[in-house]
Amino acid sequence: MSFYTFDTRIMLSVVSSLSEFELPYAIASGGANGTATYMTLIYRIAFTERKIGLASAMVIILLLQIALFSLLLLEVPKFLARIYENKRGIEQ
């Protein structure tokens, strides 16, 4: 398995877990008893409390978190590979 395939699988897994909505909402009626996820909280704020602006801001923050994590997941291995290659070149 390629390293980039592994990166892609991790990234998709994290993004899907951050945006999980259906299962907690269907099982616990919107996140009762401590099962609320970030998305169920956004849904409750937007549609139950009618605070659309706050919910929109929360979605933008989630988008920025996912973008930052994706960037780190894609760039850090390249950076570490360059450091490893430089150290290998110095040792030889």
Side-chain angles (χ1 to χ4, degrees), residues 3-77:
F3 185 71
Y4 293 108
T5 305
F6 186 68
D7 280 352
T8 305
R9 290 175 61 189
I10 290 175
M11 187 170 19
L12 290 174
S13 174
V14 168
V15 168
S16 68
S17 68
L18 286 175
S19 60
E20 182 66 34
F21 174 76
E22 296 88 7
L23 193 60
Y25 190 77
I27 291 175
S29 301
N33 300 327
T35 58
T37 63
Y38 195 68
M39 292 304 292
T40 57
L41 179 65
I42 290 171
Y43 179 82
R44 185 177 52 103
I45 288 173
F47 298 110
T48 304
E49 299 176 13
R50 305 274 189 217
K51 296 179 182 176
I52 305 296
L54 177 60
S56 298
M58 291 173 71
V59 169
I60 296 297
I61 290 172
L62 178 65
L63 174 70
L64 293 174
Q65 288 174 345
I66 290 172
L68 179 65
F69 178 77
S70 299
L71 180 67
L72 286 174
L73 189 63
L74 292 174
E75 294 300 321
V76 168

Side-chain angles (χ1 to χ4, degrees), residues 69-87:
F69 178 77
S70 299
L71 180 67
L72 286 174
L73 189 63
L74 292 174
E75 294 300 321
V76 168
K78 293 177 191 176
F79 178 73
L80 294 175
R82 273 188 266 138
I83 290 175
Y84 177 72
E85 288 299 322
N86 287 340
K87 283 185 179 181

